[in-house]
Amino acid sequence: MRPLLFFIPLFLILVIEGIAIDFLPQFLAKTNLLITPHWIFMFLLLMTFKFDTNNTFYAVIYGAFFGILVDIVYSDVLGIYMFIYPFVIYLVHISKHFLQTNFYMLLIIASASLLVVEVLLFIVYSFVLSLDLSQAYFLFNRYIPTLIANLLFLLLLYVLFSGMMERWRRDLFKE
C-alpha cells in the first residue's frame, strides 16, 4: 500500500511543474535561458536512492506512468518522456549497486542523469521538430540553467521526503 502513496506527491508535482516558470524572477523570465523543470524525474531519482531496493523497480514503473502524463500534458511528442524517464531511472537503479547512496552521490548522479535526459530529449526533438541549436547554446542556455533549477528542487525534495522514504523502505521490506 505504501508504494501507492507516492502517487499523491508525484501527481501534485506534475500539476505544479506546469506553473513553475511563472515563479521565476522577472529578469530570468526575460532572458533566452531555457529552464525545464524535471521535478518528477528528480522525485523518481530520490525514490530510486531512498526507497527502491535491489529487487524493486517502483521508480521505473512510476517513471513510465508519469512520463506518459508529462507527454500528454506538456509535450509535443507523445511517448518521449514515457520512455526516457524510466530508461534513465533504470540505468541509475543498476548503477547504484556499484556506488554509495549518500547525498553527494545523489547530486552527482542527478547531474549526470539529467544530462542524459536532456541530451536524449534534444536528439529526439532535433529529429522530430527539426531543432537547430548549437552544442554551446544547448549547454549554456539549456542544460546548466535546467541543472541548477532541478538540483535546487532535489535539495528541497531531499529535505522533505528522504527520511520518510527510508522509513517506508525499512517497514515494507523489513530491512
Side-chain angles (χ1 to χ4, degrees):
M1 181 64 184
R2 287 202 177 146
L4 292 177
L5 291 177
F6 288 118
F7 182 86
I8 296 166
L10 281 166
F11 185 77
L12 290 174
I13 290 170
L14 175 72
V15 171
I16 295 170
E17 213 174 70
I19 60 171
I21 300 301
D22 296 335
F23 293 114
L24 285 177
Q26 288 298 321
F27 73 91
L28 283 178
K30 294 182 181 187
T31 64
N32 59 352
L33 299 177
L34 301 169
I35 300 172
T36 305
H38 290 290
W39 295 352
I40 289 174
F41 183 73
M42 292 293 117
F43 189 92
L44 294 170
L45 279 175
L46 184 62
M47 193 174 164
T48 302
F49 265 68
K50 295 295 183 179
F51 183 75
D52 274 341
T53 65
N54 293 343
N55 300 321
T56 61
F57 294 90
Y58 290 108
V60 174
I61 294 166
Y62 273 116
F65 180 76
F66 279 93
I68 192 67
L69 290 180
V70 169
D71 285 330
I72 291 169
V73 176
Y74 301 120
S75 177
D76 296 335
V77 181
L78 193 60
I80 187 170
Y81 286 93
M82 184 184 77
F83 290 108
I84 290 177
Y85 278 2
F87 173 70
V88 177
I89 292 295
Y90 180 74
L91 293 178
V92 170
H93 191 277
I94 291 171
S95 67
K96 84 173 190 176
H97 302 296
F98 308 108
L99 304 170
Q100 295 179 0
T101 55
N102 58 36
F103 176 72
Y104 301 110
M105 190 55 68
L106 175 64
L107 292 177
I108 293 168
I109 294 293
S111 301
S113 60
L114 191 61
L115 178 63
V116 172
V117 166
E118 283 291 321
V119 167
L120 290 173
L121 287 170
F122 178 75
I123 290 169
V124 170
Y125 280 131
S126 293
F127 285 123
V128 174
L129 301 176
S130 300
L131 290 180
D132 189 26
L133 299 176
S134 70
Q135 292 170 349
Y137 184 87
F138 171 79
L139 179 66
F140 294 112
N141 290 20
R142 168 96 188 204
Y143 175 68
I144 292 176
T146 296
L147 175 68
I148 293 168
N150 284 288
L151 287 180
L152 288 173
F153 188 74
L154 179 62
L155 181 63
L156 176 67
L157 288 176
Y158 190 86
V159 170
L160 294 175
F161 291 101
S162 177
M164 179 192 68
M165 287 182 186
E166 288 178 344
R167 277 191 312 277
W168 284 5
R169 185 189 69 230
R170 282 192 307 271
D171 292 347
L172 186 65
F173 304 115
K174 308 293 186 234
E175 291 183 348

